[in-house]
Amino acid sequence: MLKFIAKRLLMMIPVMAGVIVIVFSMMYITPGDPTMIILGETSTEEEREALREDLGLNDGYFKRLGDFCYNLIFKLDLGDSYVTGQPVMDTIKARLPATATMAVVSVAFAVILGMILGIVSAVKPYTLLDNVSMTLALVGVSMPNFWQGLLLMLLFSVKLGWLPATGYGTWKHIILPAITVGTSSAGIIARMTRSSMLEVINADYINTARAKGQKEIIVVIRHGLRNALIPVITTAGLQFGAMLGGAVLTETVFAMPGLGKLMVDSVSGRDYTVVQGGVLVIAIMFSLVNLLVDILYAYADPRVRSSYS
Amino acid sequence: MQEQVKQVAAQETVIYKKRRQLPDIWHRFCKNKRAVCGLVIMILIVLAGIFAPVICQYDPIQQNLREAYQTPSLAHWFGTDSIGRDLFTRVVYGIRTSLLCGIIAVTISLVIGGTLGAIAGYYGGKVDNVIMRFMDILLAIPSLLLAISMVAALGGGMINMLFAIGFSSMPTYCRTLRGEILKIRKTDFVEAAKAAGAKDSWIIIKHIIPNCLAPIIVRVTMGVASAILFCASLSFIGLGIAPPTPEWGQMLSFGRDFIRTYPHMSTFPGLAIMVTVFSLNMMGDGLRDALDPKMKT
């Protein structure tokens, strides 16, 4: 097992190096003069030139990439924000908890709702119940989450007054954004659970279990779901990335001070060091979650486990 | 002589395929009620988009402050927005923008991603390794975020946005094509064609491409759906299509400021996005089942 984890961790290194190069290059080719953003329109050319020299903006591509990597790896430094002057790492650290909490709650929501819908449809395939829950799942996938956020806000905050519309702080603030972000993933997980369950539900061991007189619920959960779970776990892991992307919109809608909102604000404020740092941190988070999923996967599937022991 | 036999055989397969497969596929597709429903809605949406000037009596861009803030009525089916533009007109004209964006973005990812995937699958070895590792890197960044940072780097505007969406969703197409080609390359009929002395180009055109088509058609249908969502998302946060061009995401973001007082301003563009994406997805599901009953999600 340790060997497996070590191998997966090593495999992450080249991917992360690639992400760093791509993100850096994208910000490198970005047109516009950062010194203009830092010093403002009223600054003189001399002042800007001095700052450019100071920040190393006059260096070549490889020198700057090297410096960036060096600072990132050895000092955990992503540079300073062009707009606020604060270190990017501190800004991200301050914004991370909101997004992380929301992502965890929404994954839980998506997995629970998705699996229930999927199991219900797989147990009674091609019935009205199946049709209704699969249509619901597809509606969830097709609904733009920013619109769904607005609708939820309208219902639960404006009309009913149960939950706060915007902001961050208490657990109540997390519910609506988490549901918003999780809905499309719940739909995808439901579809995956259904097709994966349908594949195992007619297997011989399921019939054997039934023939033994086992209760239907135990047949479905212990014999069916456990074997159908692997593709579902993979899908849930991949959905985590979609959630981090979706957080950009949801946090904007709910005015939540998370990473997503930070990214949008920085793009419109042309604060490129923050955009660069934010994308990197999110990519690392996503890769770590995928690593976790692979470990879970190995844990759930004896075939994978045995190939590494 | 051998050449002739081959030609006749090829012609026969083509005729056989045409006679058997298309009606079969159509029959299977029609059995799926949801898929037919999706197809019908999509046809209606496309027709509405094409005949927008005939259906709508207002101008989608012209302001008319005297008619601002109207709720839905007989004169304005979907009401008007804060500067008096008829929302029904804007939603209908928005079909053109959204569908066009969806199709162009998917074409970009299909051309770049598909070609790379085909090269990786066909040549294998080092080329395959390099291309697929590059795709792994792109997949490590959530695609909406990749699109946003690309728009930040390239600057806003429709063309840059389409390129960003196309580029960031490219890995799925690359993987699909690579996987299909790897599968087909090992089949007996390709081996047989090779043994019969067929050229590479003949094998690619006659055997590989037709056999890849089914998954690609399905992927493209669903891809257009998600590209429309992407496009609306980027426009919603102000990085996509700029006003006054009617675009659903941007209209939603406009209506968001009036959500408490005039919810119709955001409801109709939202519904438009959902219905379009929903029907495309239903069609895609139906196509997948119809084109290849063995294929899974």
Side-chain angles (χ1 to χ4, degrees), chain A residues 84-125:
Chain A
T84 61
Q86 300 285 325
V88 174
M89 201 53 117
D90 293 352
T91 317
I92 289 175
K93 266 188 203 155
R95 299 293 196 107
L96 197 59
T99 306
T101 323
M102 187 179 76
V104 171
V105 176
S106 57
V107 168
F109 166 77
V111 168
I112 294 171
L113 181 67
M115 280 191 6
I116 290 176
L117 277 181
I119 293 171
V120 164
S121 343
V123 171
K124 302 241 180 280

Side-chain angles (χ1 to χ4, degrees), chain B residues 53-76:
Chain B
V54 185
I55 302 170
C56 310
Q57 45 173 327
Y58 301 97
D59 187 289
I61 290 166
Q62 190 67 45
Q63 303 185 12
N64 184 0
L65 290 174
R66 263 176 298 157
E67 306 225 321
Y69 299 109
Q70 290 196 14
T71 44
S73 63
L74 274 179
H76 298 284

Side-chain angles (χ1 to χ4, degrees), chain B residues 121-278:
Chain B
Y122 200 77
Y123 292 101
K126 266 187 197 152
V127 187
D128 179 27
N129 226 332
V130 169
I131 292 176
M132 292 328 281
R133 290 301 78 76
F134 179 65
M135 294 299 151
D136 283 349
I137 294 167
L138 289 187
L139 279 173
I141 309 172
S143 45
L144 185 61
L145 210 63
L146 185 61
I148 288 176
S149 33
M150 278 187 75
V151 172
L154 298 169
M158 184 164 158
I159 294 170
N160 287 345
M161 179 197 71
L162 290 178
F163 185 73
I165 297 175
F167 190 80
S168 53
S169 33
M170 162 180 92
T172 31
Y173 297 84
C174 183
R175 286 190 154 186
T176 311
L177 236 103
R178 174 179 175 270
E180 284 306 312
I181 287 181
L182 277 181
K183 228 179 359 189
I184 295 162
R185 253 182 54 190
K186 285 181 191 147
T187 51
D188 291 341
F189 60 84
V190 171
E191 286 295 316
K194 268 189 194 154
K199 281 186 206 143
D200 262 12
S201 55
W202 175 266
I203 294 179
I204 292 175
I205 293 167
K206 279 289 164 191
H207 297 292
I208 294 189
I209 291 180
N211 280 294
C212 286
L213 270 183
I216 292 174
I217 291 172
V218 175
R219 175 72 59 215
V220 163
T221 316
M222 303 214 172
V224 172
S226 63
I228 288 175
L229 265 184
F230 257 53
C231 174
S233 308
L234 284 176
S235 303
F236 180 78
I237 47 179
L239 295 173
I241 288 161
T245 313
E247 200 281 336
W248 297 332
Q250 174 226 106
M251 287 163 71
L252 243 168
S253 130
F254 208 75
R256 187 185 150 199
D257 301 334
F258 307 98
I259 184 106
R260 284 161 202 260
T261 39
Y262 301 100
H264 71 271
M265 286 186 198
S266 50
T267 306
F268 292 109
L271 267 177
I273 303 175
M274 202 190 83
V275 170
T276 312
V277 174
F278 184 67

Side-chain angles (χ1 to χ4, degrees), chain A residues 69-90:
Chain A
C69 291
Y70 177 82
N71 285 333
L72 176 63
I73 294 163
F74 294 103
K75 298 182 193 160
L76 282 180
D77 180 9
L78 283 164
D80 294 337
S81 156
Y82 288 159
V83 175
T84 61
Q86 300 285 325
V88 174
M89 201 53 117
D90 293 352

Side-chain angles (χ1 to χ4, degrees), chain A residues 59 80 83 100 161 163-164 244 248 251:
Chain A
D59 297 334
D80 294 337
V83 175
L163 295 162
L244 289 175
V248 171
E251 285 174 6

